Amino acid sequence: MIDPMDFLLWTKGPMFDWAIAIFALGMLARLVEIFMLGRKPNYAEPRGGEWGPGFRTIFTRSVADAGTFQRAPFNVVIGTVWHVGFFIALLLFIPHIELIYSVLGIRWPGLPNPVVDAVTAITILAMIGALIHRLRNPVMKHISTFEDYLVWTVTFLPLITGYIAYHRMIDPYPLALGLHILAAEIFLIVLPFTKLTHMFTVFIARWYNGAIFGRKGVAS
Amino acid sequence: MAHHKTLGESLRAHGVSRRGFLKFCAATASMMALPPTMTPAIAAALEQARRPSVIWLSFQECTGCTESLTRSHSPTVEDLILDVISLDYHHTLQAASGEAAEHAREVAMRENFGNYLVVVDGSLPGPDSNPGYSTIAGISNYQMLMETLEGAAAVVAVGTCAAFGGLPQANPNPTGAVAVQTLAGDKPVINVPGCPPVPMVITGVLAQYLTFGKLPEMDQYNRPLAFFGQSIHDRCYRRPFYDKGLFAETFDDEGARAGWCLYRLGCKGPSTYNACATMRWNAGTSWPVEAGHPCLGCSEPKFWDAGGFYDALSVPPGDTGSTLLAAGVSGAIIGGAAAALAKRRQKADLAERQPVKIDELEQKL
Amino acid sequence: MSSLQDIPVHVAAEWGNALPVLHEIRHALERLAETGEARVIDLNAMPFGPGDEDRLLGLLGQGEIEARLDALGVTQIRETAVPGVWLVDHRNADGERLVLHVEIAEVPAILRTQAEDLRDAVAALDARLATGASPFPHRPDN
Ligand code: SF4
Ligand code: SF4
């Protein structure tokens, strides 16, 4: 029989430290490598700035263009919904803000619990929708790898366990909370070594894209 | 002797009328956290209940639990209960001391072998620790517990120390303290944790055992469900504020004055199972959260080591900030080294580059 | 002099666990009217916040009947302004509250003559007659 309180304290204590350590180590190793490698020097005369277009592209590429939307409206809508929902739940739930404050020393205002709760429910549904779509669409199914399903699972678990813990659907509560924390830790550990790194690299990549085009004097 | 009288008889001997008895039963039902509909059943059971002998052992404790017990908010009922259960041995409450006290314990054990109830407050140095850390009349706590348990019908561990090890067991646990249940073997254990437990809960559990003569329904920590079945958070009157996301952030801000939820001030109510929110303290006057202080989680195992009392439940107890920094710096170094290596290789490749012209290639073919 | 009362804590009045209890009472009243089934609610077991009990009792108001029981301390029994809803306030010898019941019934159970007492009643009366207690003066206990 597992002791729920021991389990909770293990997930909050040693396991949390391990997860944070692996996450920080892996993620920084990757980012520093990316930045240090940089890009090949471009000796051509610049026809425009890099910074402005770089940041502009971060935004423009975050919004699907009309063509993409027409081709895959489901992907765009569902994808946007659950990405935004995931970040609202992660960053604007008061207990999470307290946690981040205790680790990083920075804090911001949160949303009322019922709002986060509703957003979480929508996010969970959207993620399930995305999975069903992936399984039923022949092309999606064909190009999906083991990693895609792994990444879906480790992203889904913190959401569903968080929802269960908030609604106290598992008794006793320390067990429910411990499961949620463990799920988040698995997410953190897996993050630097899978395509989840796009959480950090996506904006860097978009900036580079924009910067390259900007330098060439074309719009992206 | 009185030992052989039923409770009904001894109450009548006290001159308690039938209505008085009913009132007593109603109060007992409330104390046992049972619905009022149970009053007739309690009356019937109490009518037949016999006075069990109780031996109360105090080990590594602060006497807070006994202090709490003697402040049980219904003195009439509690007096009767204590009158009815015969407290044959209790260091703090008994008049006898030294040899005479130990003698009383031995007599009670012999006369009621197999039927007496042992109540313990305080944890004790385990079998592998130095027994000298805590002794009574030259007998180590461990030896006394094992001896006394032999003829016990059940053991009630009163307070978080007896139930879970409590303060003595907190890191670094210098005395090697253990909880009673780790030593009780196959003797039934009822845990009544709390630092201290709500007075009414102590008497309530004893009354329940006395009334029905059997173990109550318990959770996986052997806590009676009647008192520990629901979390503080589930019965907290501030819960609507939690649900609305209205939190006090300091002890003197607007939210604190308006009585908002204390989660951000460290309230452990969500993970704590106890009866404070309904039974309250000090004769039902109030309870910690009502007084504006977060719940510390005192009725849960390891509560002393579970992180700061004023840190939110979601905050890890360790120094994660420096772990993050150290890991981040090492990650940066590794990443830097990997990049430097790659660049070196690139440079080396560049230096060894041997350009080939197209006609040279064609000649080769 | 500063006292506890001076600390500016105001109670946000919109919360009330009094409301669910009132609903429970209403439900019990309907049952009493339909089936004659009585019900007792233990207010000690309610997760009341500050002021909830006062709000509840204030709303129920004061009815016509008040009775007093002397056994193991005083018990106050009174009907509220809502017929059929009684308050039974058991106190101990020191005047501290043991339990506060809301009883939804025609008559609170504790007011009735108890069956066991009734069995002994004739004997008790006979005993009184036999001792030849004078019918005068009017003091019953003499
Ligand atoms: S004060 Fe504590 S127990 Fe009450 S609602 Fe807030 S977190 Fe829960
Ligand atoms: S409110 Fe919490 S810490 Fe305080 S006595 Fe109750 S259970 Fe223990």
Side-chain angles (χ1 to χ4, degrees):
Chain A
M1 195 171 75
I2 52 157
D3 182 325
M5 191 50 85
D6 273 344
F7 174 64
L8 174 62
L9 292 182
W10 174 74
T11 58
K12 278 174 74 173
M15 188 57 203
F16 185 70
D17 279 339
W18 274 109
I20 283 285
I22 294 173
F23 162 73
L25 200 126
M27 211 49 233
L28 265 154
R30 293 197 80 152
L31 287 179
V32 167
E33 190 183 357
I34 290 172
F35 282 125
M36 278 187 58
L37 284 175
R39 307 198 73 86
K40 270 208 202 123
N42 186 344
Y43 299 113
E45 188 138 326
R47 295 203 196 149
E50 292 189 328
W51 286 99
F55 283 115
R56 189 158 3 95
T57 307
I58 289 185
F59 288 106
T60 54
R61 294 250 169 138
S62 302
V63 181
D65 63 299
T68 312
F69 185 78
Q70 261 155 29
R71 253 176 287 120
F74 182 86
N75 285 2
V76 171
V77 171
I78 290 288
T80 310
V81 163
W82 83 253
H83 273 85
V84 171
F86 186 86
F87 278 98
I88 288 178
L90 176 67
L91 297 178
L92 298 180
F93 186 45
I94 303 264
H96 296 166
I97 293 176
E98 287 295 328
L99 168 66
I100 294 166
Y101 179 63
S102 82
V103 176
L104 299 178
I106 44 171
R107 68 204 301 181
W108 47 81
L111 285 176
N113 295 351
V115 177
V116 179
D117 180 38
V119 168
T120 309
I122 294 169
T123 309
I124 288 172
L125 291 179
M127 278 198 74
I128 293 175
L131 180 69
I132 293 174
H133 181 66
R134 185 185 281 282
L135 289 170
R136 289 185 46 188
N137 182 305
V139 178
M140 290 276 283
K141 192 174 171 158
H142 184 71
I143 60 173
S144 293
T145 60
F146 169 75
E147 191 185 338
D148 290 310
Y149 295 108
L150 175 76
V151 161
W152 184 91
T153 310
V154 298
T155 312
F156 186 71
L157 282 180
L159 282 166
I160 191 78
T161 51
Y163 188 82
I164 288 172
Y166 178 73
H167 289 278
R168 307 177 73 90
M169 293 185 214
I170 294 182
D171 245 1
Y173 181 74
L175 179 63
L177 182 59
L179 285 173
H180 172 58
I181 295 176
L182 184 64
E185 285 161 354
I186 293 172
F187 180 81
L188 278 178
I189 291 173
V190 168
L191 198 154
F193 310 105
T194 55
K195 51 175 70 171
L196 281 174
T197 28
H198 80 271
M199 268 175 86
F200 294 89
T201 53
V202 65
F203 295 112
I204 304 173
R206 278 178 196 163
W207 185 86
Y208 269 128
N209 264 322
I212 292 167
F213 286 120
R215 209 189 138 92
K216 290 180 182 165
V218 292
S220 79
Chain B
M1 258 213 9
H3 281 233
H4 308 296
K5 260 194 209 161
T6 67
L7 176 61
E9 285 159 0
S10 61
L11 282 178
R12 272 190 290 283
H14 276 77
V16 175
S17 72
R18 188 71 206 171
R19 283 200 186 91
F21 182 61
L22 273 187
K23 172 173 174 174
F24 174 79
C25 293
T28 309
S30 179
M31 190 165 73
M32 294 196 277
L34 291 174
T37 42
M38 287 294 286
T39 306
I42 290 166
L46 276 180
E47 190 66 63
Q48 297 306 318
R50 278 175 202 283
R51 202 177 141 131
S53 170
V54 172
I55 297 176
W56 186 304
L57 304 174
S58 297
F59 296 142
Q60 300 190 121
E61 44 83 46
C62 68
T63 314
C65 295
T66 299
E67 289 283 342
S68 175
L69 172 71
T70 56
R71 274 152 190 72
S72 179
H73 99 238
S74 26
T76 314
V77 174
E78 183 225 305
D79 286 352
L80 283 174
I81 291 279
L82 290 187
D83 233 23
V84 166
I85 60 175
S86 74
L87 212 43
D88 286 316
Y89 177 88
H90 187 304
H91 294 142
T92 319
L93 301 181
Q94 77 194 140
S97 62
E99 286 292 314
E102 293 316 306
H103 183 67
R105 180 171 66 92
E106 280 153 24
V107 170
M109 278 165 59
R110 212 174 327 111
E111 286 186 354
N112 304 289
F113 196 87
N115 298 313
Y116 59 84
L117 192 66
V118 178
V119 180
V120 181
D121 62 334
S123 63
L124 61 158
D128 304 326
S129 354
N130 182 340
Y133 282 128
S134 181
T135 63
I136 296 160
I139 308 171
S140 77
N141 287 172
Y142 175 70
Q143 192 190 341
M144 185 177 280
L145 178 69
M146 295 326 264
E147 260 176 38
T148 315
L149 276 186
E150 228 163 273
V155 49
V156 183
V158 168
T160 298
C161 296
F164 301 132
L167 183 68
Q169 200 194 44
N171 193 22
N173 190 4
T175 63
V178 296
V180 170
Q181 62 188 352
T182 57
L183 301 174
D186 51 7
K187 292 280 175 207
V189 179
I190 308 173
N191 281 330
V192 186
C195 195
V198 182
M200 293 262 288
V201 173
I202 308 179
T203 31
V205 170
L206 293 178
Q208 199 163 8
Y209 186 78
L210 164 76
T211 311
F212 298 114
K214 59 175 197 230
L215 297 175
E217 260 191 276
M218 300 191 282
D219 71 2
Q220 64 174 320
Y221 288 120
N222 290 338
R223 298 180 291 200
L225 283 176
F227 303 100
F228 298 93
Q230 272 174 309
S231 70
I232 296 285
H233 187 63
D234 279 337
R235 313 223 72 181
C236 178
Y237 76 92
R238 295 194 187 215
R239 180 65 181 271
F241 294 112
Y242 175 89
D243 290 338
K244 278 186 215 139
L246 297 173
F247 299 97
E249 289 182 41
T250 63
F251 282 102
D252 56 356
D253 66 3
E254 258 317 295
R257 286 177 222 275
W260 289 355
C261 170
L262 302 167
Y263 183 92
R264 298 188 95 154
L265 289 170
C267 188
K268 307 294 183 292
S271 60
T272 306
Y273 292 76
N274 205 342
C276 304
T278 46
M279 300 212 130
R280 300 188 187 85
W281 288 80
N282 297 325
T285 308
S286 180
W287 63 291
V289 167
E290 186 170 341
H293 194 281
C295 169
L296 307 179
C298 78
S299 57
E300 293 299 315
K302 304 255 165 66
F303 95 98
W304 292 103
D305 292 329
F309 289 156
Y310 301 99
D311 286 341
L313 184 58
S314 58
V315 168
D319 182 6
T320 317
S322 23
T323 314
L324 183 71
L325 202 70
V329 168
S330 355
I333 292 171
I334 293 175
L341 252 154
K343 280 211 154 149
R344 255 241 310 273
R345 216 173 39 232
Q346 234 175 22
K347 250 200 201 139
D349 289 351
L350 218 60
E352 284 170 22
R353 190 169 74 122
Q354 292 173 333
V356 186
K357 294 241 166 64
I358 188 86
D359 24 306
E360 283 173 13
L361 259 180
E362 273 176 0
Q363 269 169 23
K364 268 193 192 162
L365 284 172
Chain C
M1 272 288 297
S2 66
S3 76
L4 272 182
Q5 268 64 41
D6 298 335
I7 302 174
V9 173
H10 58 82
V11 167
E14 85 265 22
W15 25 278
N17 283 330
L19 207 62
V21 176
L22 280 168
H23 284 303
E24 200 177 332
I25 293 172
R26 191 173 180 284
H27 187 77
L29 262 178
E30 282 172 357
R31 286 203 68 120
L32 180 66
E34 277 167 27
T35 67
E37 185 189 320
R39 177 146 164 62
V40 184
I41 298 168
D42 179 0
L43 289 189
N44 284 21
M46 295 300 157
F48 276 167
D52 280 354
E53 189 179 298
D54 293 345
R55 260 194 292 282
L56 177 77
L57 299 188
L59 192 136
L60 289 175
Q62 172 77 49
E64 301 168 333
I65 297 177
E66 245 190 274
R68 181 190 146 104
L69 162 72
D70 255 313
L72 297 175
V74 172
T75 296
Q76 284 260 2
I77 303 140
R78 63 182 177 83
E79 195 172 25
T80 66
V82 184
V85 180
W86 299 76
L87 289 176
V88 181
D89 186 357
H90 291 302
R91 305 217 168 217
N92 67 18
D94 298 336
E96 290 168 313
R97 177 173 289 159
L98 295 175
V99 59
L100 176 61
H101 280 166
V102 177
E103 197 160 339
I104 297 96
E106 283 168 8
V107 180
I110 201 143
L111 273 187
R112 292 174 187 278
T113 303
Q114 305 297 311
E116 291 83 348
D117 289 346
L118 206 54
R119 277 203 291 277
D120 301 339
V122 177
L125 184 59
D126 287 347
R128 288 191 163 236
L129 281 172
T131 55
S134 147
F136 312 106
H138 298 293
R139 303 262 315 274
D141 273 320
N142 209 4

